[in-house]
Amino acid sequence: MKKYINPILRVATVGMLLYVIYNQSQSIKELRAAYAPLQYQCDSLKSEIFVKDIDIQRYSIIIDRANEDPRCNKVLNKLFNETE
């Protein structure tokens, strides 16, 4: 009886190990599938924020320059007040 217990325990241990490895593999695949759209969404939001940040910096530079230079201020006021 004793000689059968050791091989049975080995087979059971190997079986459980393979089961755990298979389940971990499936879990990793599910997580990767769920992660891909989130990564794309995060990247697209960062790129939108980057573009908006550049626009804000440009406007602040223009307004600062308009406050310092009277000619630039006239041109800027003309652009803001013009209509088609």
Side-chain angles (χ1 to χ4, degrees), residues 20-58:
V20 168
I21 291 172
Y22 176 76
N23 280 341
Q24 288 293 324
S25 175
Q26 292 298 323
S27 297
I28 290 172
K29 287 179 185 176
E30 291 172 7
L31 289 174
R32 282 186 181 156
Y35 178 72
L38 292 176
Q39 179 66 31
Y40 174 73
Q41 184 179 7
C42 181
D43 289 345
S44 67
L45 289 176
K46 283 183 181 178
S47 65
E48 288 178 19
I49 290 171
F50 178 74
V51 170
K52 297 296 181 188
D53 190 41
I54 296 296
D55 287 343
I56 290 171
Q57 288 176 3
R58 287 179 181 165

Side-chain angles (χ1 to χ4, degrees), residues 56-67 72:
I56 290 171
Q57 288 176 3
R58 287 179 181 165
Y59 284 120
S60 67
I61 290 170
I62 291 170
I63 291 172
D64 289 342
R65 184 172 173 203
N67 289 336
C72 184

Side-chain angles (χ1 to χ4, degrees), residues 1-10:
M1 181 74 174
K2 208 173 196 181
K3 65 180 181 177
Y4 295 119
I5 292 177
N6 228 0
I8 290 172
L9 287 176
R10 285 183 185 165

